[in-house]
């Protein structure tokens, strides 16, 4: 995550009209920490084997992307946020969003996650998995939960590692815009003793408080046989649950991890998985690429 002020936009990839407004709300919270601009992007996919693919990109956007334009226009800008809208064409949603990231150089990319997998070897879904591996900016994957009148409390679940800052940043952004407190939680298990969990909590608290805006922070160290069990038990007292990606590295299956999936399967709350952009392109990421060849 960059230490410089956020003058660049926050990018939001949307395709589901039911989730678009909520994703823009989260992006608006992040944008309010910096330049205040959210760029809303939807991808018109043109497969290789489709007659649709013979048309130029401009023709597709102008003449065949009516539903995409309608989706973008249906979203309203959060207060104090400038909202830009764009339809892009690509061979896949992931390729379109990665191209938009390259062109826009955003501080973060926010995308939705429906929690279902269609491909057996996908962790969070083929599109999300690709973004987790390749998007060179902070990435926030949000499973939109039940509607609530604002956010009264945010749960930040931490277990150390390079993604704590990204997770703390989105937790702080949501809390600041809603005047809500943040509870930083870490869980001691058979593999993580209480002192280590307490150190993770201290790290999470520092990440929340080492820059503005100021938010109310409390902490807790739990103990359980299963981390997901403890997070789910605590989640019911909060409107949003934020977790950093698994800390072992940038290889997809360990990065995305199983804890977010098990939490999402068992709670109705909004869940956000945060992955730090600085992990993309590092030595573990390159090792992951070699292993996939």
């Amino acid at each position: 995550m960059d230490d410089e002020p956020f003058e660049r936009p926050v990018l939001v990839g949307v395709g589901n009209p039911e989730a678009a407004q909520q994703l823009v709300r989260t992006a608006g919270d992040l944008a309010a920490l910096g330049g205040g601009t959210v760029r809303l992007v939807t991808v018109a996919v043109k497969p290789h084997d489709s007659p649709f693919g013979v048309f130029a990109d401009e023709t597709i956007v102008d003449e065949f992307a009516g539903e995409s334009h309608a989706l973008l226009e249906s979203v309203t800008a959060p207060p104090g946020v400038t909202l830009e809208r764009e339809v892009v064409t690509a061979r896949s949603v992931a390729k379109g969003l990665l191209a938009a990231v390259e062109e826009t150089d955003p501080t973060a990319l926010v995308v939705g996650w429906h929690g279902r997998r269609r491909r057996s070897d996908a962790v969070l879904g083929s599109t999300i998995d690709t973004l987790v591996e390749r998007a060179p900016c902070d990435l926030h994957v949000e499973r939109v939960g039940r509607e609530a009148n604002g956010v009264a409390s945010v749960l930040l679940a931490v277990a150390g590692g390079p993604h704590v800052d990204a997770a703390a940043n989105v937790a702080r952004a949501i809390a600041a815009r809603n005047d809500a407190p943040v509870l930083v939680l870490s869980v001691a298990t058979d593999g993580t003793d209480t002192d280590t969990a307490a150190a993770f909590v201290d790290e999470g608290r520092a990440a929340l408080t080492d820059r503005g805006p100021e938010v109310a922070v409390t902490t807790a160290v739990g103990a359980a046989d299963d981390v997901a069990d403890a997070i789910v038990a605590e989640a019911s007292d909060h409107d949003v649950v934020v977790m950093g990606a698994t800390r072992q590295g940038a290889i997809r299956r360990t990065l995305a991890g199983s804890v977010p999936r098990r939490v999402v399967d068992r709670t109705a709350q909004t869940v956000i998985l945060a992955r730090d952009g600085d992990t993309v392109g590092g030595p573990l990421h390159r090792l992951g690429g070699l292993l996939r060849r």
Side-chain angles (χ1 to χ4, degrees):
M1 186 179 65
D2 293 337
D3 292 330
E4 64 192 41
F6 294 172
E7 299 299 334
R8 294 171 287 156
V10 176
L11 191 70
V12 185
V14 295
N16 179 0
E18 296 180 357
Q21 190 66 58
Q22 175 60 49
L23 297 181
V24 169
R25 194 173 304 151
T26 299
D29 293 344
L30 285 163
L33 297 179
T37 299
V38 170
R39 189 170 185 81
L40 184 60
V41 174
T42 191
V43 181
V45 177
K46 54 174 188 178
H48 285 285
D49 57 352
S50 169
F52 187 62
V54 303
F55 294 103
D57 291 351
E58 294 78 6
T59 301
I60 293 172
V61 170
D62 292 340
E63 301 183 17
F64 299 102
E67 291 185 359
S68 297
H69 289 292
L71 168 60
L72 297 184
E73 293 304 322
S74 71
V75 178
T76 58
V81 171
T82 299
L83 186 59
E84 302 173 344
R85 311 166 201 264
E86 183 182 23
V87 179
V88 301
T89 60
R91 297 298 184 188
S92 70
V93 173
K95 289 181 178 179
L97 292 178
L98 289 171
V101 168
E102 182 176 357
E103 176 186 354
T104 308
D105 188 25
T107 59
L109 170 63
V110 179
V111 295
W113 174 29
H114 51 59
R116 300 184 300 274
R117 288 174 294 180
R118 294 178 180 176
R119 207 182 73 194
S120 59
D121 61 340
V123 179
L124 302 179
S126 56
T127 296
I128 301 298
D129 285 3
T130 300
L131 296 175
V132 166
E133 287 183 277
R134 301 180 186 176
C137 62
D138 285 3
L139 174 66
H140 302 295
V141 180
E142 178 167 344
R143 197 292 298 271
V144 175
R146 62 190 178 196
E147 289 288 336
N149 295 323
V151 175
S153 182
V154 178
L155 173 63
L156 173 61
V158 295
H163 309 289
V164 173
D165 280 352
N169 195 53
V170 69
R172 178 175 54 246
I174 294 170
R177 292 270 281 185
N178 291 276
D179 194 23
V182 180
L183 172 64
V184 184
L185 170 70
S186 190
V187 181
T189 64
D190 287 343
T192 303
D193 60 29
T194 301
D195 290 343
T196 301
F200 290 157
V201 164
D202 290 342
E203 181 185 8
R205 184 185 186 111
L208 274 171
T209 57
D210 68 354
R211 67 182 72 183
E214 184 176 345
V215 295
V217 180
T218 57
T219 62
V221 176
D225 293 333
D226 184 88
V227 173
D229 287 345
I231 295 174
V232 169
E234 182 62 40
S236 60
D237 292 333
H238 307 271
D239 298 302
V240 178
V241 179
V242 180
M243 292 178 283
T246 304
R247 67 195 184 98
Q248 282 88 346
I251 301 173
R252 172 166 53 91
R253 191 162 293 278
T254 56
L255 181 64
S258 62
V259 172
R261 286 207 56 84
R262 287 187 284 139
V263 170
V264 162
D265 288 343
R266 296 162 54 193
T267 180
Q269 263 68 4
T270 292
V271 178
I272 300 175
L273 175 65
R275 191 228 56 194
D276 190 282
D278 291 341
T279 61
V280 176
L284 287 177
H285 178 79
R286 290 192 291 273
L287 174 61
L290 291 172
L291 292 175
R292 290 189 295 275
R293 290 178 181 176

